[in-house]
Each structure stands twice: as C-alpha cells, then as structure tokens.
Amino acid sequence: MTPVEVHARRVEFDQTNAIQWIMRDITSRKELDELRNDMTSMIFHDLRSPLGNIVSSLEMMSAIIPQDETVNSMLNIAKNSTGRIQRLVNSLLDINRLEAGQTITDQNSIDPVALVRESIRDVEPSVTARQHKLVNRATTVLPLIWVDVDMIYRVLVNLLENAIKFTPVNGRIDIGAQTSEDGMFVKFWVRDNGPGIPPSESERIFEKFTRLRGKSKTSGLGVGLAFCKLAVNAHGGKIWLESELGKGTTFWLTLPVAQRIATGQIKRQTGRLTFKPDKKP
C-alpha cells in the first residue's frame, strides 16, 4: 500500500460543478516520520537509566553528607533539576505511546486534593525564585479519581510550571479542584495573571512542538501541553483554556471519578508519586 495525501475542492469546469482531486505520494515523509519516532523513543529510553542513577546518587549524598546549608541548597537544586528532566523524558515517551493508540492500564484510585498538594510541593522552588504567590484552593473533600497517578501528577506539574513561566515576578497563581455538576468527574483548574493567550492560539497551543508567537521568547520544547491533552483525553476527560489578553489564563481539565471508594496511601519515591490501594474500585 502507498500512503497518499489527498486534497479535494469544488471547481467549475465548462459551466459544470465538479470536484478536483489532488493526490500526493507521501511514502518518503512517512518513512522519515517512523525513523524519527523510533530514534526518539530509543534516545529517551536510554536516558532513563542514567537519570535514575543520578537521582539515587543524589539521595545517598543527601543522607551521608554532614548538614550544611550551602551543600543542602545545591543538592536540592540538583534533585529538582533531575526531577524535571525525568518528567520531560517520561512525558515524551508517553506522547509516543498515546499517539500510537496505546491505552492506559496502570490506574488506581487517588485523592485529588493530595495529588494537587504533591504537585505544589514540587514547584515550590520555582515559585519562591519568581516571588509568586501560589494559592491552593483544593481544600474540600472530593471523590477519588481513577487515573494513572504518575501521569496525571505530571499533567498538573506541567500546568503549574507553565503558569510560573508566563506569570510576571510577584504575580499570583491559583490551583483548585471541584466535583462536576453530574458528579462523574473532578474538575481541576490552574489560573495565572500572565499576558494571556490570543483566541487564535487556543487550539494550536496544544499541538506538539508549538510555542506561542510573540515578543516574549520562552524556553522549552513545546511538548508540555501536547502531553497534557493526550493524557487527559486518554483518561476520558477534557482539557481546555479560558484566557483574556493582559489579564491571564485559566486551564481547565476533567478526570473521571472512581466508581467506588478505595483507601490507599501516597508516598514519594525519587520524585515520583506511587499509589498503593487496598482494593480497586
């Protein structure tokens, strides 16, 4: 079979309505896409092992080095930086899997309030550095959600880091969660008071390797929001944004509620969340 790109449009030919078809053989382009995806996946898989060794070494150094404020500060910076690299690598691998149509199999029940609290803890160094005020509004009791915990944790951290990046110094960021009106989903939001996003960019911004056009030159690969959309959609939820130029942006996302309450415990391991339920919903 030969992959073909097809364009069709209505035209008038000899005073008769007709359809003009344009077909282009894209075999070479598809082969290059497959080669790029294979190489990308291989590179990211190879990065995971040395990154894990670095994280383990930093944890050991923290335990054996005498308490010193300067040394501890440097170790914390190193651990936070390697944690960000780990999240990026895992998110890029997840993008490849989700785009290939793979389903999410590692799901558990978890308290969304605890998930928000853990996400906030990981971005606190950046919040402090930028002198932002980060307000947690997810403080009420909410139903458990049925998700891949590590994946959704990275979604929330991505949205928070995005808000931190675009919020001016001494700005304000809010994160919250509430139950949807039908009780089937928990709705999260992350709000900033940055420059806002033009309506023309509200859909394009979720595309892979896309960054906002404009005067501000921001760093990054432009994969964070693409990962967020793929991950949320794969859970059966939705993600969208509301924005006003000059006043800020709010990202919304919904995630399904677990059918039955399960009890469990969240614990932290090498910058990642794990969840150990007593029983599945």
Side-chain angles (χ1 to χ4, degrees), residues 53-66 75 79:
N53 293 336
I54 293 172
V55 171
S56 300
S57 299
L58 290 171
E59 294 290 345
M60 292 179 62
M61 290 174 64
S62 298
I64 63 177
I65 292 179
L75 285 173
K79 286 190 286 186

Side-chain angles (χ1 to χ4, degrees), residues 28-237:
S28 298
R29 193 172 79 187
K30 295 295 289 183
E31 290 175 349
L32 286 173
D33 287 343
E34 291 177 6
L35 178 61
R36 182 192 61 191
N37 290 336
D38 289 343
M39 290 185 64
T40 300
S41 182
M42 180 182 65
I43 291 169
F44 294 145
H45 274 295
D46 289 346
L47 281 173
R48 297 182 77 176
S49 178
L51 272 174
N53 293 336
I54 293 172
V55 171
S56 300
S57 299
L58 290 171
E59 294 290 345
M60 292 179 62
M61 290 174 64
S62 298
I64 63 177
I65 292 179
Q67 295 295 317
D68 179 89
E69 184 176 346
T70 302
V71 173
N72 287 338
S73 176
M74 294 174 65
L75 285 173
N76 287 334
I77 292 172
K79 286 190 286 186
N80 289 332
S81 297
T82 51
R84 292 184 67 181
I85 297 172
Q86 279 188 314
R87 290 196 297 272
L88 176 60
V89 170
N90 290 332
S91 296
L92 287 166
L93 287 170
D94 284 337
I95 285 176
N96 285 343
R97 296 190 191 104
L98 295 172
E99 285 183 332
Q102 294 185 22
T103 58
I104 297 174
T105 57
D106 185 18
Q107 291 181 256
N108 287 293
S109 299
I110 188 170
D111 179 7
V113 175
L115 198 55
V116 168
R117 188 165 56 244
E118 189 73 12
S119 303
I120 290 173
R121 184 195 302 183
D122 262 10
V123 300
E124 280 179 347
S126 299
V127 171
T128 302
R130 296 275 293 173
Q131 300 176 23
H132 288 154
K133 181 178 182 181
L134 177 55
V135 180
N136 180 9
R137 299 194 176 278
T139 55
T140 59
V141 177
L142 295 171
L144 302 181
I145 53 177
W146 183 243
V147 297
D148 181 315
V149 178
D150 180 68
M151 188 177 290
I152 297 305
Y153 155 75
R154 284 184 277 120
V155 167
L156 294 177
V157 171
N158 262 314
L159 294 176
L160 285 170
E161 288 182 337
N162 207 53
I164 292 167
K165 183 188 300 183
F166 288 98
T167 299
V169 175
N170 296 319
R172 177 188 173 108
I173 299 167
D174 290 73
I175 182 171
Q178 66 190 58
T179 308
S180 64
E181 293 181 0
D182 59 9
M184 299 298 292
F185 295 87
V186 170
K187 183 188 292 186
F188 298 81
W189 73 87
V190 176
R191 180 178 297 121
D192 64 58
N193 62 351
I197 298 171
S200 59
E201 304 283 343
S202 61
E203 290 298 329
R204 196 181 74 88
I205 199 172
F206 288 105
E207 296 175 4
K208 190 166 57 174
F209 306 125
T210 296
R211 290 186 292 175
L212 281 178
R213 304 184 185 99
K215 296 180 180 178
S216 60
K217 301 295 183 182
T218 57
S219 59
L221 294 176
V223 297
L225 291 177
F227 160 71
C228 291
K229 184 171 184 177
L230 285 168
V232 172
N233 288 349
H235 281 83

Side-chain angles (χ1 to χ4, degrees), residues 55-56 59 83 86 90 118 121-122 150 153 265-276:
V55 171
S56 300
E59 294 290 345
Q86 279 188 314
N90 290 332
E118 189 73 12
R121 184 195 302 183
D122 262 10
D150 180 68
Y153 155 75
Q265 177 181 350
I266 300 174
K267 70 177 183 178
R268 190 176 181 81
Q269 291 183 343
T270 63
R272 294 163 63 89
L273 279 174
T274 59
F275 182 73
K276 295 187 175 180

